[in-house]
Amino acid sequence: MRERQFVADLVSDQKLPKMFKVRQKFLRNSIDVKEIPNIIKELLSDEKFSSQIRPGMHIAITAGSRGVANVDLTTKCIVDFVKEKGAEPFIVPAMGSHGGATAKGQKAILEGYGITEEDMGCPIRSSMEVKKIGLTEDGREVFIDKYAAESDGIILGCRIKPHTAFRGPYESGIMKMMAIGLGKQHGAEVCHEAGFKNMAKNVPLFGKAIIKNAPILFAVPTIENAYDETCKIVAVNADEIEEKEPDLLKEAAANMPRILVDSCDVLVVDQIGKNFSGDGMDPNITGTFCTPYATGGIQAQRVCVLDLSPETHGNGIGLGYSSATTKRVFDKLDLASMYPNAITCTVLGGVRIPIIMESDREAIQVCVRTCNEIDKASPRIVRIPNSLHIEHIMLSESYYEEAVKNENIEIESQPEYLPFDEDGNLW
């Protein structure tokens, strides 16, 4: 106790600036949620897609581990369409090593997104067992989920989005859903073995082998706008994936949000979690990249993480790229959930433990206190709720004049000191 108080005393005199709320304005080109069933039904009613589903077929439909907008609805719409054609759908968790690399853990992730057997009206067949289906062009073995491999057809439900650790024509999307998602722990490990330096080559290499050797029918990917809303849904036939996905990725990248100030001394992230990003906090927003093969996001000298989301179930991957965190976060960590993902992708930095402080205030103070060459009487601090929802954020008083001049920033409050309770935690 005395030691903890000594550490707290080292930063207790570090004053924190007044903060003000702002709304960041981005293009809002969303689809009305009520229209999603009609859109998917119309897409899949095209002869090119509907003719592939015949009565009595057992159809596997993939669902991943990311917090995709309306994922329960889009998945249900695909299930319903397959049923209307007289086939028998089932859902397969396609998430590599996530969920602690266990069948139970992966099913629980889907259930957390509202994808349950009861709500979907079909079975969820979750297993870590894989089956070899063929070889890549360079002779490597390719494995995918056993249930999917033995089905009569696979429909890929997914989202297309820039990846957090590499750049290429195929990042997070259809190819990756096949190569790593359907590959489960084993397939993901094989694909990651050469590291993220080679991921832009390996994802399409394995993806194309799966298209060739597995019963892939088509994909129904979504794209989201800057507000985490569905803004586009398309259907892509198996023989079109290689050609069409790169353009869809460019469209997804153009819709990504960003923090509308380029740099800060301290970035405060209220929550991280797998429901926000595979990296806990999306480095395309926070700048906390785990490899040198991707860049972007805000430039921050220190990053402070205050909490984990309930949906991440203790998986604090990404915490290792922060500078400081709270005892609250440390107590919630489920290492058995974090480590398999890190080991599989061969990047261990995200599961390291940063400096741990007792309260929110101390965690922010230690970040400001340890910054170099800044104005510590008026530090530049940016606070976001998480990396997925950054419409409403907070800026420190030193940004006020800059914010007033930015037509894409709407000031929502006057600068005030952060409201800490008697324990030093934010209300």
Side-chain angles (χ1 to χ4, degrees):
M1 186 70 179
R2 179 180 297 176
E3 290 80 4
R4 288 207 303 263
Q5 185 58 51
F6 176 72
V7 172
D9 288 345
L10 288 175
V11 300
S12 61
D13 62 346
Q14 176 59 59
K15 293 184 178 180
L16 298 180
K18 291 181 178 179
M19 306 281 292
F20 62 100
K21 298 175 183 177
V22 302
R23 182 172 76 88
Q24 301 195 116
K25 302 176 186 177
F26 307 105
L27 176 65
R28 194 155 207 159
N29 51 343
S30 61
I31 293 173
D32 187 336
V33 175
K34 296 177 182 177
E35 289 302 312
I36 289 177
N38 294 331
I39 291 170
I40 292 179
K41 185 169 184 177
E42 183 176 350
L43 287 170
L44 300 189
S45 294
D46 187 301
E47 179 70 14
K48 177 168 58 177
F49 305 112
S50 64
S51 62
Q52 299 184 61
I53 304 172
R54 297 178 296 279
M57 291 178 70
H58 291 82
I59 305 294
I61 300 168
T62 66
S65 58
R66 303 294 189 258
V68 179
N70 303 305
V71 66
D72 53 342
L73 178 57
T74 56
T75 304
K76 181 68 162 60
C77 291
I78 299 170
V79 168
D80 288 346
F81 188 83
V82 170
K83 283 183 174 181
E84 288 176 11
K85 297 295 293 182
E88 299 178 23
F90 64 93
I91 295 168
V92 170
M95 55 185 76
S97 63
H98 298 175
T102 68
K104 183 178 179 181
Q106 296 200 344
K107 187 176 182 181
I109 287 176
L110 294 189
E111 290 172 346
Y113 296 142
I115 300 176
T116 66
E117 292 184 341
E118 182 180 6
D119 290 336
M120 296 296 107
C122 73
I124 296 175
R125 295 179 181 166
S126 184
S127 170
M128 299 308 294
E129 190 175 355
V130 292
K131 183 175 182 178
K132 178 183 172 182
I133 60 165
L135 302 173
T136 60
E137 292 175 357
D138 60 0
R140 283 179 283 174
E141 296 181 326
V142 181
F143 295 83
I144 68 168
D145 177 272
K146 182 176 184 291
Y147 287 123
E150 295 176 352
S151 72
D152 298 314
I154 302 170
I155 299 174
L156 302 163
C158 61
R159 173 185 61 190
I160 295 176
K161 190 175 184 179
H163 198 269
T164 59
F166 72 94
R167 293 287 179 259
Y170 310 92
E171 295 181 22
S172 288
I174 309 170
M175 285 287 193
K176 183 172 175 284
M177 174 62 87
M178 292 185 289
I180 294 176
L182 275 176
K184 297 295 194 173
Q185 161 72 21
H186 184 91
E189 192 166 43
V190 171
C191 198
H192 279 99
E193 194 172 31
F196 279 104
K197 180 180 180 181
N198 296 292
M199 194 62 71
K201 176 185 72 174
N202 283 333
V203 163
L205 191 66
F206 279 81
K208 286 187 286 185
I210 292 169
I211 292 172
K212 179 181 178 180
N213 297 292
I216 303 295
L217 301 181
F218 51 84
V220 185
T222 64
I223 293 175
E224 294 169 2
N225 64 18
Y227 297 92
D228 184 37
E229 299 166 337
T230 306
C231 67
K232 187 169 187 174
I233 306 172
V234 296
V236 184
N237 206 44
D239 61 2
E240 301 173 322
I241 293 171
E242 183 178 0
E243 176 189 355
K244 290 189 174 182
E245 184 172 356
D247 286 339
L248 292 170
L249 175 61
K250 290 176 184 177
E251 191 171 344
N255 278 283
M256 283 281 289
R258 67 182 183 89
I259 298 172
L260 295 177
V261 295
D262 294 331
S263 64
C264 63
D265 301 324
V266 178
L267 173 65
V268 177
V269 184
D270 286 357
Q271 290 187 337
I272 66 171
K274 295 290 285 187
N275 54 312
F276 303 131
S277 169
D279 284 33
M281 48 183 167
D282 188 343
N284 292 298
I285 305 299
T286 62
T288 51
F289 288 93
C290 64
T291 75
Y293 310 115
T295 58
I298 192 170
Q299 293 182 323
Q301 191 174 150
R302 295 283 185 265
V303 177
C304 179
V305 170
L306 302 182
D307 207 348
L308 301 184
S309 68
E311 295 86 352
T312 202
H313 302 293
N315 189 335
I317 196 164
L319 184 63
Y321 300 114
S322 68
S323 314
T325 191
T326 63
K327 182 67 162 46
R328 179 198 308 115
V329 169
F330 181 75
D331 290 340
K332 291 180 179 180
L333 293 177
D334 178 0
L335 303 184
S337 176
M338 294 168 63
Y339 289 172
N341 194 190
I343 293 169
T344 301
C345 74
T346 73
V347 178
L348 304 182
V351 295
R352 291 175 180 148
I353 308 298
I355 189 169
I356 302 163
M357 302 301 285
E358 284 294 313
S359 67
D360 295 340
R361 179 168 52 206
E362 289 177 14
I364 300 170
Q365 285 176 316
V366 77
C367 284
V368 176
R369 174 72 177 77
T370 58
C371 279
N372 302 125
E373 298 182 310
I374 71 166
D375 181 358
K376 291 184 179 175
S378 183
R380 297 180 308 153
I381 298 178
V382 175
R383 181 186 175 194
I384 63 175
N386 55 68
S387 64
L388 193 59
H389 306 104
I390 58 169
E391 177 184 6
H392 299 278
I393 67 172
M394 298 189 76
L395 302 174
S396 61
E397 195 169 18
S398 55
Y399 286 108
Y400 197 83
E401 290 185 11
E402 179 182 341
V404 168
K405 297 175 183 177
N406 191 324
E407 62 182 13
N408 292 315
I409 294 179
E410 176 185 333
I411 295 174
E412 297 185 309
S413 74
Q414 292 302 305
E416 296 179 346
Y417 289 112
L418 291 172
F420 295 104
D421 64 19
E422 60 183 11
D423 296 319
N425 294 315
L426 288 162
W427 294 352

